[in-house]
Amino acid sequence: MWDALGIKITDRNDPYNNPMITKLRNDVAALMKKVGWYEEDGKWYYYYNSGKFAVGWTKINKKWYYFGNDGVMRTGWLQDNKNWYYLNDQGKMVVGWQFIDNKWYFFANSGAMKTGWIKSKKDWYFLNKDGSMATGWILDGKAQYYLNKNGDMAHEEWIKDTDPTGTNKGYYWLSKNGKFTYPYSGKWTKIKGTDKWKFEDSTGWYAKDETIKIAGVCYTFDKDGYLVEDK
């Protein structure tokens, strides 16, 4: 008679009272035990040496993952307490800037999605309540700010867009702290009968003896206010 492992049973009264058979069965059981990553029906689990699967936040090879109470590895957006996290297609928790569904988001080193003002490298950015990066005009408190196409806050520069009301197109000045406090629009003016250009605003002010940023490009003007062009 043979058992399920293909071992001949010689003692019908106590077929498993055999050290060799016991060792072999233990070895087979160890081989069959789920340890580490395991896929079942398209879902991923992580098993400890004890045979129990991971639940909740779990750090594996220096990366953070999240497993539900059923042991299934989660992907996509995850809300844990009051914070939002994002787990990529491999289940790894993301940090830093991430482009998700055609929008930019920023996640702290803890993985928590940020909102409001953040400073990244040398620039300031504003993240909406849903975490997405803002562009264009925003109202924060009583102050208006302008976020460029890349999301960085405009400051000490003229931007080209409509005014905060969305009514008048032109160039508008943003102060050093990024606030919109100067309502007068700027424009380029070509001096009649010449190839010379000036940049001025509706009050009569014009740029002279300085370099200023206009629509993302730095321009230099001489002491008479004429644009200094590269030759």
Side-chain angles (χ1 to χ4, degrees):
M1 182 177 179
W2 303 81
D3 70 1
L5 295 176
I7 298 174
K8 188 174 183 180
I9 299 176
T10 57
D11 188 342
R12 291 181 180 273
N13 295 324
D14 191 5
Y16 298 107
N17 188 20
N18 184 315
M20 183 181 71
I21 294 176
T22 300
K23 181 178 183 305
L24 181 58
R25 286 186 177 280
N26 289 338
D27 291 343
V28 171
L31 288 172
M32 294 178 65
K33 186 171 66 174
K34 300 171 184 176
V35 177
W37 287 105
Y38 184 80
E39 184 182 13
E40 184 176 347
D41 296 330
K43 298 177 181 178
W44 283 95
Y45 303 79
Y46 187 83
Y47 286 87
Y48 298 111
N49 291 332
S50 64
K52 295 182 179 180
F53 53 67
V55 173
W57 287 109
T58 304
K59 195 173 187 179
I60 304 170
N61 295 330
K62 299 182 179 181
K63 301 293 183 181
W64 283 101
Y65 300 81
Y66 188 89
F67 300 86
N69 291 331
D70 56 358
V72 176
M73 182 193 78
R74 298 293 193 255
T75 59
W77 287 103
L78 170 75
Q79 186 176 21
D80 185 28
N81 294 321
K82 295 182 179 180
N83 293 319
W84 281 94
Y85 301 81
Y86 192 81
L87 309 164
N88 66 19
D89 292 342
Q90 297 177 332
K92 298 175 183 178
M93 182 192 79
V94 301
V95 298
W97 286 107
Q98 301 292 329
F99 193 61
I100 303 169
D101 296 331
N102 296 316
K103 295 181 180 179
W104 282 102
Y105 299 83
F106 188 85
F107 299 85
N109 289 334
S110 65
M113 183 192 76
K114 302 291 288 183
T115 60
W117 289 105
I118 65 163
K119 191 174 186 180
S120 179
K121 296 182 179 178
K122 295 182 179 180
D123 293 314
W124 284 95
Y125 298 80
F126 188 84
L127 307 170
N128 297 310
K129 290 182 178 180
D130 66 356
S132 61
M133 183 189 75
T135 59
W137 292 106
I138 64 164
L139 177 64
D140 184 34
K142 295 182 179 180
Q144 295 276 1
Y145 299 84
Y146 189 85
L147 292 308
N148 292 311
K149 291 181 179 179
N150 292 330
D152 57 302
M153 182 190 75
H155 62 288
E156 291 189 292
E157 61 184 289
W158 292 86
I159 60 96
K160 185 181 181 181
D161 207 333
T162 57
D163 62 13
T165 66
T167 305
N168 302 306
K169 292 184 178 181
Y171 295 86
Y172 295 93
W173 175 255
L174 281 305
S175 63
K176 186 176 182 179
N177 60 13
K179 293 182 179 181
F180 174 67
T181 58
Y182 191 74
Y184 307 103
S185 62
K187 64 177 182 178
W188 286 101
T189 300
K190 187 176 183 181
I191 308 305
K192 189 176 181 179
T194 73
D195 291 328
K196 295 182 179 182
W197 288 85
K198 282 189 173 184
F199 186 82
E200 58 188 2
D201 70 19
S202 53
T203 69
W205 168 92
Y206 59 92
K208 60 180 178 179
D209 200 23
E210 62 181 326
T211 297
I212 57 175
K213 185 185 285 188
I214 304 171
V217 180
C218 289
Y219 296 92
T220 299
F221 299 85
D222 64 21
K223 62 183 179 61
D224 296 314
Y226 298 120
L227 174 66
V228 178
E229 299 188 68
D230 295 333
K231 296 181 178 181

